[in-house]
């Protein structure tokens, strides 16, 4: 009869000293944070349904631009919800405990190779996508700047600042990806 063999370098949980065991167990303190994000996800579902209802009930009254702005708002809510799912599922899997979804037909493709580095890059890309939607909405609404009789929700300075912030997000994502690539490259070289 063969006995299970511990992976090389791994210690059974029972042999951990008290302090390391407490430190390692502290990862479970993140569970309420992920549960809170699930509540936030529920709020976004409510917001989406409310905006969708608003679009449907006013579809004959709205101009094409108003419909486009509401649809962009819906897309924005979906992208933020996608970001929440990445943080909830990927963060829990990476920092708390394995979800053991191998073989499940609904397992997200990206989850099979998620780690903190990949999660950071995915989050940066999602933030750029969300920022792009906000910037597009701003550009559409900014068409009213300087037109007599029309109110604009943005000033020229506001549009420029949003554009600058978006560019900073892009450069930040490029920087994160570049540092990640350098780190992986240096790790393989050793």
């Amino acid at each position: 009869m063969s006995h299970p063999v511990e992976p090389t370098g791994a210690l059974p949980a029972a042999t951990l000293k008290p302090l390391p065991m407490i430190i390692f167990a502290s990862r479970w303190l993140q569970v309420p944070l992920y549960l809170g994000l699930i509540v936030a996800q529920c709020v976004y579902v409510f917001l989406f349904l409310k905006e969708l209802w608003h679009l449907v009930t006013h579809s004959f009254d709205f101009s094409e631009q108003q419909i486009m702005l509401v649809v962009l708002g819906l897309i924005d809510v979906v992208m933020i919800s996608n970001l929440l799912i990445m943080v909830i599922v990927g963060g829990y899997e990476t920092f708390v405990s394995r979800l053991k979804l191998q073989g499940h037909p609904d397992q997200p493709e990206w989850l099979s190779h998620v780690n903190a580095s990949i999660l950071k890059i995915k989050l940066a890309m999602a933030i750029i996508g969300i920022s792009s939607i906000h910037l597009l909405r701003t550009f559409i609404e900014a068409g009213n700047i300087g037109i007599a009789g029309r109110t604009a929700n943005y000033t020229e300075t506001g549009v420029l600042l949003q554009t600058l912030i978006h560019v900073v997000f892009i450069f930040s994502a490029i920087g994160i990806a570049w540092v990640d690539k350098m780190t992986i490259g240096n790790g393989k070289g050793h």
Side-chain angles (χ1 to χ4, degrees):
M1 183 165 139
S2 66
H3 296 287
V5 178
E6 287 292 324
T8 309
L11 295 174
T15 63
L16 286 176
K17 293 181 181 178
L19 183 59
M21 189 168 40
I22 290 170
I23 291 171
F24 184 62
S26 70
R27 72 192 190 283
W28 290 99
L29 292 173
Q30 291 189 16
V31 171
L33 305 177
Y34 292 116
L35 293 174
L37 288 177
I38 292 170
V39 171
Q41 178 85 341
C42 293
V43 171
Y44 267 101
V45 169
F46 175 76
L47 176 64
F48 181 89
L49 293 174
K50 185 176 108 179
E51 285 298 311
L52 183 61
W53 179 255
H54 183 71
L55 175 65
V56 170
T57 58
H58 293 89
S59 60
F60 293 108
D61 305 328
F62 282 172
S63 68
E64 181 182 355
Q65 182 178 356
Q66 289 171 313
I67 291 172
M68 189 183 329
L69 289 171
V70 173
V71 169
L72 286 173
L74 293 173
I75 292 169
D76 187 39
V77 170
V78 170
M79 292 182 77
I80 291 172
S81 292
N82 291 342
L83 177 64
L84 281 168
I85 289 298
M86 279 193 287
V87 171
I88 294 165
V89 175
Y92 185 89
E93 174 89 10
T94 302
F95 300 110
V96 179
S97 183
R98 297 282 176 220
L99 293 170
K100 299 177 183 165
L101 297 175
Q102 291 75 14
H104 192 283
D106 294 331
Q107 177 188 3
E109 176 190 310
W110 56 269
L111 193 57
S112 63
H113 55 274
V114 73
N115 60 38
S117 182
I118 290 171
L119 191 57
K120 280 189 292 191
I121 292 170
K122 286 194 173 298
L123 293 175
M125 296 307 294
I127 289 169
I128 289 170
I130 293 165
S131 174
S132 297
I133 295 297
H134 278 267
L135 196 55
L136 182 57
R137 287 179 68 186
T138 299
F139 288 158
I140 291 169
E141 290 185 37
N144 294 331
I145 295 176
I147 297 177
R150 288 195 174 172
T151 57
N153 293 329
Y154 300 97
T155 63
E156 289 179 24
T157 304
V159 173
L160 286 173
L161 287 175
Q162 282 192 20
T163 304
L164 179 64
I165 290 168
H166 181 72
V167 170
V168 168
F169 285 154
I170 291 171
F171 282 126
S172 296
I174 291 169
I176 290 169
W178 182 67
V179 167
D180 184 57
K181 184 178 172 107
M182 284 180 33
T183 304
I184 291 172
N186 287 340
K188 288 181 179 176
H190 292 273

